[in-house]
Amino acid sequence: MSRVYNFSAGPAVLPEEVLKEAQEEMLDYRGCGMSVMEMSHRSKMFDEIIQEAEADLRELLNIPSNYKVLFLQGGASLQFAQIPMNLMKNRVADYIVTGQWAKKAWQEAQKYGTANKIASSEDKTYSYIPDCSDLPISPDADYVYICENNTIYGTKYKTLPNTKGKLLVADVSSCFLSEPMDIEKYGIVYGGVQKNIGPAGMVISIVRDDLITDDVLPGTPTMMKFKTQADASSLYNTPNCYCIYICGKVFKWLKKMGGLSAMKERNEKKARILYDYLDSSNLFRGTVVKEDRSLMNVPFVTGSEELDAKFVKESKAAGFENLKGHRTVGGMRASIYNAMPLEGVEALVAFMKKFEEENV
Ligand SMILES: *Cc1c(COP(=O)(O)O)cnc(C)c1O
């Protein structure tokens, strides 16, 4: 068996240890004679899996007791609708548009009320985070929305926007659990798990409990009310049981790695190796303003489409998968999530140096 270095933006690399454990437990989960895929979501076995997953996540992120943890279906994209349906009481919200995911969320919110675009970096292909120290926050805004790490463009907020007292809602799909965060600064933090945590098809939403009410927009489906999911501890209907199980294993792995402060250090070290090389290279360069660089998604280009294509092709042949950049940025993108080992980044940089020598 040979595994590649997988730099995919998502679904993405998972810790090998976690995959092996899941493999061992595939046919007979801890002596119960069946796989987690085959067991009732109401069983004692599964109850332990979901409870432990939640407890470990709470410990990792230091989630205060007045926040609910919801394991939901529909991925991050369904939150684009679920958030306005539950929060837009005044039918006004402010969006900061720093990439395609933020734009999609902003567009979806327009179905439910006035969604103001109060800042954007679209003028420069989303290659920076706009100044958010003094934004034109709407007096009657129900919340201010950000996408904290922009998966496609490789930018990240280093300081949170000044929301002037308004509730902050953040999509953290591609930086979830990559470093510690202060949950209390947010009303809702959510992320699709297929970037940094587990298999696709699920979103974890961490919602402050005063935002979980019956007072939702008229016509909101039962399944889309946070209260329905919170009251049923994410078991209103059959959840994505296997995904919750794998996420739980990743939480245990993160704890074993030393928690989120240790992950931050590790991620900074990995990113530094790549960015330092990009800054010194005569061939490659990063596409993002230095101060706003993401630790997780690193887009880069050579400046020549032909050479970019050659690099993607040759890197693939050498065992580096999914380095092709998003079509709107072009070039390459290396996603170096938690589960990408340091050796993977070192090997990539060595390969890039060799490519540079051969092509400059
Ligand atoms: C991938 C991604 C999404 C979409 O996730 P789905 O689970 O496919 O809906 C949303 N936001 C961000 C920041 C992402 O990276």
Side-chain angles (χ1 to χ4, degrees):
M1 185 192 69
S2 80
R3 290 194 31 99
V4 295
Y5 286 123
N6 180 7
F7 293 92
S8 171
V13 57
L14 288 169
E16 205 167 295
E17 231 178 283
V18 165
L19 296 175
K20 280 187 178 148
E21 249 183 62
Q23 181 183 38
E24 278 161 25
E25 293 175 346
M26 177 67 80
L27 296 184
D28 178 7
Y29 177 74
R30 300 189 184 171
C32 76
M34 63 176 94
S35 146
V36 174
M37 273 180 265
E38 301 168 294
M39 66 177 57
S40 164
H41 59 300
R42 310 274 177 215
S43 64
K44 189 168 167 291
M45 275 289 184
F46 186 73
D47 192 53
E48 274 169 26
I49 290 172
I50 191 169
Q51 300 266 3
E52 233 176 272
E54 178 174 340
D56 287 336
L57 180 65
R58 284 188 173 276
E59 189 183 326
L60 282 166
L61 274 172
N62 202 8
I63 301 175
S65 58
N66 62 324
Y67 284 74
K68 288 273 192 301
V69 172
L70 306 176
F71 297 98
L72 306 175
Q73 295 149 67
S77 299
L78 204 59
Q79 293 300 292
F80 300 168
Q82 186 156 17
I83 285 161
M85 282 175 163
N86 284 267
L87 260 49
M88 237 194 208
K89 323 269 184 209
N90 297 331
R91 303 262 185 173
V92 180
D94 289 346
Y95 280 71
I96 303 174
V97 179
T98 52
Q100 284 207 2
W101 295 117
K103 190 175 183 176
K104 280 192 175 164
W106 167 61
Q107 285 167 337
E108 187 70 16
Q110 290 168 29
K111 295 189 167 187
Y112 304 100
T114 305
N116 301 303
K117 179 164 68 174
I118 55 166
S120 165
S121 52
E122 194 168 8
D123 59 335
K124 290 182 181 159
T125 326
Y126 302 117
S127 57
Y128 68 101
I129 299 290
D131 177 8
C132 296
S133 56
D134 186 18
L135 295 165
I137 306 278
S138 313
D140 49 354
D142 293 302
Y143 58 90
V144 176
Y145 181 100
I146 61 167
C147 177
E148 196 159 328
N149 185 80
N150 296 280
T151 324
I152 295 172
Y153 303 93
T155 56
K156 172 156 197 287
Y157 285 81
K158 300 295 157 78
T159 48
L160 293 175
N162 175 4
T163 63
K164 303 182 181 173
K166 296 289 184 192
L167 199 69
L168 180 64
V169 173
D171 174 356
V172 298
S173 296
S174 49
C175 58
F176 221 173
L177 307 185
S178 64
E179 56 183 287
M181 61 190 298
D182 187 355
I183 298 292
E184 276 184 324
K185 293 197 168 134
Y186 306 80
I188 298 180
V189 172
Y190 78 91
V193 300
Q194 77 276 26
K195 307 290 158 67
N196 214 6
I197 306 179
M202 195 174 84
V203 58
I204 297 175
S205 228
I206 303 167
V207 187
R208 208 173 68 200
D209 57 14
D210 61 297
L211 304 173
I212 301 175
T213 67
D214 282 315
D215 180 20
V216 297
L217 297 192
T220 298
T222 309
M223 281 279 289
M224 295 286 279
K225 252 169 72 172
F226 283 130
K227 190 158 188 305
T228 305
Q229 305 287 358
D231 287 351
S233 305
S234 304
L235 295 169
Y236 172 74
N237 76 324
T238 321
N240 191 340
C241 298
Y242 200 78
C243 187
I244 293 168
Y245 158 76
I246 297 288
C247 290
K249 287 203 178 299
V250 172
F251 301 153
K252 294 249 183 272
W253 177 77
L254 289 168
K255 281 171 67 178
K256 211 171 91 186
M257 297 291 286
L260 300 190
S261 299
M263 289 317 291
K264 179 174 196 234
E265 244 174 71
R266 192 169 173 264
N267 289 325
E268 281 172 344
K269 190 169 170 196
K270 283 176 353 196
R272 198 175 313 122
I273 291 171
L274 188 46
Y275 284 123
D276 280 353
Y277 169 62
L278 289 172
D279 290 342
S280 68
S281 170
N282 290 316
L283 178 62
F284 299 102
R285 63 174 176 83
T287 57
V288 162
V289 169
K290 276 190 191 174
E291 325 61 280
D292 300 329
R293 283 170 164 175
S294 164
L295 290 183
M296 296 283 102
N297 310 98
V298 184
F300 56 96
V301 294
T302 62
S304 146
E305 276 181 34
E306 213 174 296
L307 271 183
D308 288 350
K310 187 174 181 221
F311 178 80
V312 170
K313 190 164 165 243
E314 289 182 12
S315 61
K316 187 176 165 68
F320 303 96
E321 285 282 341
N322 294 311
L323 281 167
K324 191 172 173 4
H326 192 268
R327 65 195 138 71
T328 56
V329 184
M332 284 68 70
R333 171 179 47 172
S335 294
I336 48 175
Y337 296 121
N338 283 339
M340 172 58 65
L342 179 69
E343 304 83 72
V345 179
E346 286 172 341
L348 173 64
V349 168
F351 181 83
M352 288 168 77
K353 283 182 177 161
K354 184 169 145 279
F355 186 88
E356 179 173 342
E357 274 164 28
E358 292 164 359
N359 291 279
V360 174

